[in-house]
Amino acid sequence: MADQKKIAIFGGGTGLSVLLRGLKQQPVDITAIVTVADDGGSSGRLRDELKIPPPGDVRNVLAALSDVEPLVEDLFQHRFSKGGDLIGHSLGNLILAAMTNITGDFFHAVTEMSKVLNVRGRVLPAANTSVVLHAEMDDGQIISGESTIPSYGKRIKRVFLTPEKIEPVPETIDVIRGADLIILGPGSLYTSILPNLLVPKIREEILNAPAKKVYICNVMTQPGETLYYSAADHVKALNQHMGGPFIDTILVNNEEIPDDIRERYAKEQAQPVQFNIDDLSAMGLEVIKDQIVTYENGVIRHDTHKVASLLVDLLKE
C-alpha cells in the first residue's frame, strides 16, 4: 500500500460506515478516525459500567472495512434481543469491551480486532478515553450527552467536549500529516463529525495539513441538529468550530428526492438539504454536484460506490 494515495476520513454513525463499504473497493490507503462521544444504547451502557470509550461507532466502521465471510460480520454485528442484561448489546461491542480489558486500552483493542476482521485500512478512535459532548443552544441552555442533544429540539449554537484536555491517539497525527485527502462526513454534523474535530490537536493538524479537505454534505436535514440548514449552513457551522474557513471542496446531491420519500422524512421534520452554487462558491469552495443517493426500504443513503469514485477522481487531479 506504500504507493497508494492516503485518505483520512472523519465521522461516525451510519453515514461513515456506508461510505467506507464502497471506498474499500478502491485502490487507496484508508484510515477512518471515529468519534468516541456516543453515550446511548449498548455503547453508553458499556461506557458507564466499564469506564471505556463507547465501542458502537468503531464497531460499525470495523465491520464496514472488514474482509471476512458475511456470517462472521453478521456475528460481530449481532444484537441480542433476549437474555436479561444482554438485551440491546451487540456482540461486537462486548468483544471490543473484552479486548480492551485484555490489552489494557481501547486503541490496542481496536488494533487487534482489525487484525481479526482482516480490515482493509486502519480504524482509529479519535481519543483513547471517553469524552462527553455538550451543546450550547440558542437560548443559552447547556445540554450534555450526544444522545440527548438532538432531543432538545432547539437550534444549536455550538458544541464542545469535556474534559478540556483530550489527547488524540498519536497515530492520528501522523495520518493527518501524511494524507493526500482529508474527508469529513457524511454523518450527523454536531454529533458525529464535529466531536472528532474538537479534539484540540486534531483540529490544529487538520487546519495545517496540506491535503485537500472535502466535506460530504448530508442529503437530508436532521431534526434537533440541522433543521432548515442549507449546505452553506453546514459549512458555516464547521468553520465556526474550527476557527475559520478550511474546507476546499464540498460534495452535494443534486438528485430530486421522490415525493413518497420526502413525505416519509417530513413526518420526522427532515427535508432535503438545499444548496446554492453561488453561495458555496463565494465561500471559496469547489462544488461537486451529482446524483449520489440510493434508497433502501424507503431510507436515503449515500451511493457508496458513486461517492467513492468521485473521491478517487479528486485524488487524480
Side-chain angles (χ1 to χ4, degrees):
M1 296 176 67
D3 59 344
Q4 292 184 345
K5 295 288 188 178
K6 295 178 171 59
I7 292 178
I9 180 165
F10 291 82
T14 305
L16 177 59
S17 299
V18 168
L19 173 59
L20 290 172
R21 289 186 184 278
L23 202 54
K24 75 177 181 181
Q25 306 297 334
Q26 299 287 342
V28 291
D29 182 348
I30 305 166
T31 301
I33 296 95
V34 188
T35 178
V36 288
D38 187 12
D39 64 353
S42 170
S43 285
R45 288 162 61 191
L46 293 171
R47 167 190 179 135
D48 294 341
E49 293 170 12
L50 302 179
K51 309 304 178 188
I52 64 172
D57 283 329
V58 167
R59 183 198 82 243
N60 283 326
V61 169
L62 286 170
L65 286 175
S66 67
D67 189 11
V68 292
E69 293 295 327
L71 184 60
V72 176
E73 183 183 337
D74 290 344
L75 182 67
F76 190 65
Q77 292 286 61
H78 176 73
R79 192 174 296 274
F80 293 94
S81 57
K82 299 178 182 178
D85 289 343
L86 279 176
I87 294 175
H89 279 304
S90 79
L91 183 60
N93 284 357
L94 297 175
I95 292 174
L96 281 167
M99 192 69 82
T100 302
N101 284 341
I102 292 169
T103 61
D105 71 58
F106 188 63
F107 166 65
H108 285 108
V110 174
T111 301
E112 293 305 313
M113 281 309 304
S114 296
K115 297 175 185 175
V116 171
L117 293 170
N118 196 22
V119 163
R120 296 192 190 183
R122 280 193 290 177
V123 180
L124 301 175
N128 207 16
T129 56
S130 290
V131 300
V132 179
L133 182 68
H134 310 269
E136 180 184 354
M137 317 307 280
D138 262 358
D139 62 6
Q141 186 167 355
I142 304 294
I143 306 296
S144 298
E146 181 264 354
S147 62
T148 306
I149 290 167
S151 64
Y152 188 66
K154 296 291 181 68
R155 193 174 180 89
I156 297 171
K157 183 178 180 181
R158 69 181 181 106
V159 290
F160 60 97
L161 299 175
T162 57
E164 288 186 12
K165 292 184 178 180
I166 304 167
E167 290 294 325
V169 174
E171 284 80 355
T172 303
I173 303 304
D174 295 333
V175 165
I176 297 171
R177 291 176 179 175
D180 297 295
L181 197 66
I182 293 174
I183 302 168
L184 311 177
S188 301
L189 176 63
Y190 288 105
T191 56
S192 288
I193 298 174
L194 278 167
N196 295 295
L197 310 185
L198 294 174
V199 176
K201 289 183 181 177
I202 288 180
R203 172 185 170 275
E204 293 162 13
E205 291 294 338
I206 290 176
L207 290 174
N208 294 327
K212 177 176 283 190
K213 301 162 188 80
V214 182
Y215 173 52
I216 303 173
C217 190
N218 284 353
V219 176
M220 304 295 288
T221 62
Q222 291 184 269
E225 285 203 43
T226 55
L227 189 64
Y228 306 123
Y229 271 39
S230 66
D233 291 329
H234 284 75
V235 175
K236 287 174 185 175
L238 288 164
N239 289 344
Q240 173 201 341
H241 285 81
M242 293 290 278
F246 71 104
I247 298 168
D248 300 300
T249 304
I250 183 171
L251 179 58
V252 292
N253 174 58
N254 68 349
E255 179 181 343
E256 280 293 323
I257 306 299
D259 289 342
D260 61 325
I261 303 291
R262 291 172 70 115
E263 290 170 7
R264 177 176 296 186
Y265 274 80
K267 293 176 182 176
E268 301 174 2
Q269 291 190 303
Q271 60 189 31
V273 173
Q274 303 297 320
F275 67 91
N276 182 293
I277 295 289
D278 292 338
D279 290 344
L280 295 171
S281 297
M283 299 172 75
L285 296 169
E286 172 192 18
V287 183
I288 299 175
K289 56 186 190 301
D290 211 324
Q291 297 180 355
I292 56 171
V293 296
T294 58
Y295 307 97
E296 299 175 14
N297 301 318
V299 177
I300 300 172
R301 296 279 185 246
H302 278 88
D303 184 329
T304 179
H305 298 293
K306 183 68 170 289
V307 174
S309 178
L310 290 170
L311 293 174
V312 170
D313 286 345
L314 285 174
L315 284 169
K316 296 174 183 175
E317 292 179 0

